[in-house]
Amino acid sequence: MVKLEEFFDFDKHEPVNRVGYTKEDADYKIKFIQKMQELGMEITMDEVGNICGTIKVGNNPKTTLAIGSHTDSVYDGGQFDGTAGVVIALKTVEQLIKSKNVSGIIKLPIYACEESSRFGNACIGSKYLNGNITKEDFEKIVTTNKKDEKQITLKEAIGFMRACIKENTQGVVEVEKIFDKVDYALEAHTEQYELLQREKQKNGQTTIGIINSIGSAVRIKYHVLGEANHTGSTPMGERKNASDGVCYIGNKIRKLGIKYEKQGKGRASQLDGGTTEQTGSFNQIPPKGESIIDIRVLGDNTWEQALEDFAKIKRKAQKKTRTIITEEIVSKGNPTTTSERLNEKLAQICSKNNIQFLPMNSGAGQDTSYVPAEDKTMIFIPSTGGSHNPNESIEPEDIEVATKVFTGIAQELLQEKFKDRQVVNVGNAPIIIENGGEQPVNQMVLE
């Protein structure tokens, strides 16, 4: 029932603007909702705009498994980032419904607004599930991207998307949260670089990335206050040039990013630096500057260490450029370590099915970091053309391999398990009693 061409055009590479809480994103979500309903799933939508399909399989559904990702894109992005994971989840659910000897509650979440493009805050839907973002924050979080015609609150954006969903679908139940906690959470995603694609070309088969750690973003917006003056008359050592402060920090942040990368602790870069209140005049020293910084922490690095490193750079910048620098911490968080037990299972399933795999980390933040689950992990599939641009590309065969891997681990996690299990002897024949049912068993099974 789940056909790839319903969701992708593999030969098309045009800009995608399926930005969080827009009509484009809502319309695309509706396609998934309809397909989940065709599979027999019940659909819920919560107060942040997360969508979830739920279905029970087997006779004793006690274990809850969530498999999902996001559908929203960056501005002028590609069609596969996030969405590939939702399609893989959908195809996995279809296989699980057909499976024998599995029992559990399967959930397919589509997490709201994973990209930070519009609100400067990533993984809004999954953060809401674990309490990092609350309903009280909906009024405080506002759009930050200049492509929005006017600044609106997160609450307004959520209301718009929820209205689109309700007007164009039936049978969607509104809830406070799509779930509070699950036993297991899985997510598949495009790699967003080309390491796996290179492995695939080298080995002649799809290579799956098993993610051990997921990075977190420390985002800083800073302002530089200098002093306007004449470029011809002001001595170099007496200038308070705001652009000098911006450039100094940008250079040092790049060096910090290189240091982090060598140590396996992440990456860092300055983005969109510039001066404000600049008239375009060649002979005026700019009095104000600003920029944003994105620091990705990995491994044993922490947001506290990243902010401490920025503070050292800031102090030196102020001294060197004679400016005053203030900062605003937009977001912060620590890396997430995924489940070692689940990763071992994934490796075993890959080996059993002769699927090439590679243990790796995710420098990019992911919804899996925030999903409230007892055990969680994710996999990457090969991609080409870079990420967050129209040239993103994946191959249908990689989706099929990922579906096979996820179906395999889900079948293991959802194997029929009974809490009330006893073995009694009836005459000389041992009998297992499970939830009132009886079945003979031989001595080898008992041992």
Side-chain angles (χ1 to χ4, degrees), residues 214-272:
I214 302 170
S216 183
V218 178
R219 290 180 171 142
I220 304 165
K221 185 174 184 179
Y222 69 87
H223 305 271
V224 182
L225 179 61
E227 182 178 274
N229 223 320
H230 195 289
T231 58
S233 61
T234 310
M236 297 299 293
E238 297 295 321
R239 297 185 181 194
K240 299 178 182 179
N241 189 333
S243 66
D244 286 347
V246 173
C247 292
Y248 183 93
I249 289 178
N251 182 49
K252 293 297 182 181
I253 286 293
R254 181 178 183 275
K255 290 182 178 179
L256 178 67
I258 293 171
K259 175 185 172 183
Y260 277 177
E261 191 168 64
K262 287 180 178 178
Q263 296 174 339
K265 292 187 173 182
R267 299 178 178 89
S269 60
Q270 176 170 284
L271 313 166
D272 196 28

Side-chain angles (χ1 to χ4, degrees), residues 58-77:
N59 299 318
N60 193 42
K62 294 182 178 179
T63 302
T64 304
L65 169 66
I67 313 174
S69 192
H70 66 97
T71 57
D72 62 299
S73 75
V74 298
Y75 290 98
D76 298 326

Side-chain angles (χ1 to χ4, degrees), residues 35 39-40 104 112 129 147 152 170 172 270 313 333 381 395:
K35 186 58 65 174
L39 289 174
L129 293 179
K147 292 197 175 187
I152 64 170
Q170 293 183 345
V172 177
Q270 176 170 284
I313 293 172
I381 63 171
E395 298 178 25

Side-chain angles (χ1 to χ4, degrees), residues 307-349:
L307 292 183
E308 185 178 325
D309 290 336
F310 172 75
K312 292 177 184 177
I313 293 172
K314 170 188 161 183
R315 287 195 294 269
K316 289 182 181 179
Q318 290 183 128
K319 184 177 180 180
K320 292 278 187 181
T321 63
R322 298 163 52 87
T323 57
I324 298 171
I325 301 170
T326 57
E327 76 273 8
E328 171 192 350
I329 310 304
V330 178
S331 65
K332 61 187 180 182
N334 287 329
T336 298
T337 301
T338 57
S339 168
E340 187 176 333
R341 184 171 73 92
L342 293 185
N343 291 342
E344 288 176 357
K345 284 183 176 293
L346 286 170
Q348 290 168 2
I349 289 164

Side-chain angles (χ1 to χ4, degrees), residues 76-320:
D76 298 326
Q79 60 177 314
F80 301 107
D81 181 358
T83 308
V86 182
V87 171
I88 290 166
L90 198 60
K91 290 178 69 65
T92 300
V93 170
E94 183 178 23
Q95 294 302 314
L96 291 174
I97 292 171
K98 302 173 185 176
S99 298
K100 297 179 180 179
N101 300 321
V102 296
S103 184
I105 301 168
I106 306 170
K107 292 185 175 290
L108 198 166
I110 303 176
Y111 304 112
C113 202
E114 192 264 0
E115 303 290 358
S116 60
S117 304
R118 194 176 184 196
F119 289 93
N121 202 322
C123 303
I124 288 175
S126 50
K127 284 179 180 176
Y128 173 73
L129 293 179
N130 78 355
N132 277 21
I133 289 177
T134 66
K135 285 190 286 185
E136 288 70 30
D137 296 320
F138 291 0
E139 290 278 13
K140 302 174 187 175
I141 298 174
V142 296
T143 49
T144 57
N145 198 291
K146 295 175 183 177
K147 292 197 175 187
D148 272 289
E149 293 181 3
K150 64 176 183 177
Q151 190 177 75
I152 64 170
T153 65
L154 176 60
K155 182 177 180 180
E156 291 173 307
I158 294 170
F160 172 81
M161 196 205 76
R162 282 166 52 94
C164 288
I165 299 289
K166 288 188 286 186
E167 288 171 9
N168 295 282
T169 59
Q170 293 183 345
V172 177
V173 178
E174 296 180 65
V175 295
E176 183 177 358
K177 288 185 177 183
I178 54 172
F179 55 77
D180 292 312
K181 195 171 185 179
V182 293
D183 295 306
Y184 303 106
L186 304 174
E187 181 179 7
H189 206 281
T190 55
E191 185 203 347
Q192 300 179 278
Y193 193 57
E194 297 191 355
L195 290 178
L196 293 176
Q197 183 63 24
R198 292 170 189 171
E199 288 292 318
K200 179 179 179 179
Q201 291 173 343
K202 183 171 69 175
N203 299 307
Q205 60 173 304
T206 298
T207 302
I208 294 294
I210 299 177
I211 307 306
N212 295 317
S213 175
I214 302 170
S216 183
V218 178
R219 290 180 171 142
I220 304 165
K221 185 174 184 179
Y222 69 87
H223 305 271
V224 182
L225 179 61
E227 182 178 274
N229 223 320
H230 195 289
T231 58
S233 61
T234 310
M236 297 299 293
E238 297 295 321
R239 297 185 181 194
K240 299 178 182 179
N241 189 333
S243 66
D244 286 347
V246 173
C247 292
Y248 183 93
I249 289 178
N251 182 49
K252 293 297 182 181
I253 286 293
R254 181 178 183 275
K255 290 182 178 179
L256 178 67
I258 293 171
K259 175 185 172 183
Y260 277 177
E261 191 168 64
K262 287 180 178 178
Q263 296 174 339
K265 292 187 173 182
R267 299 178 178 89
S269 60
Q270 176 170 284
L271 313 166
D272 196 28
T275 55
T276 52
E277 297 185 9
Q278 178 59 283
T279 61
S281 172
F282 281 93
N283 66 352
Q284 184 188 46
I285 295 171
K288 292 182 180 181
E290 63 182 24
S291 188
I292 55 177
I293 293 171
D294 187 50
I295 302 175
R296 299 302 173 112
V297 290
L298 268 172
D300 60 359
N301 202 358
T302 64
W303 64 263
E304 292 95 341
Q305 182 62 57
L307 292 183
E308 185 178 325
D309 290 336
F310 172 75
K312 292 177 184 177
I313 293 172
K314 170 188 161 183
R315 287 195 294 269
K316 289 182 181 179
Q318 290 183 128
K319 184 177 180 180
K320 292 278 187 181

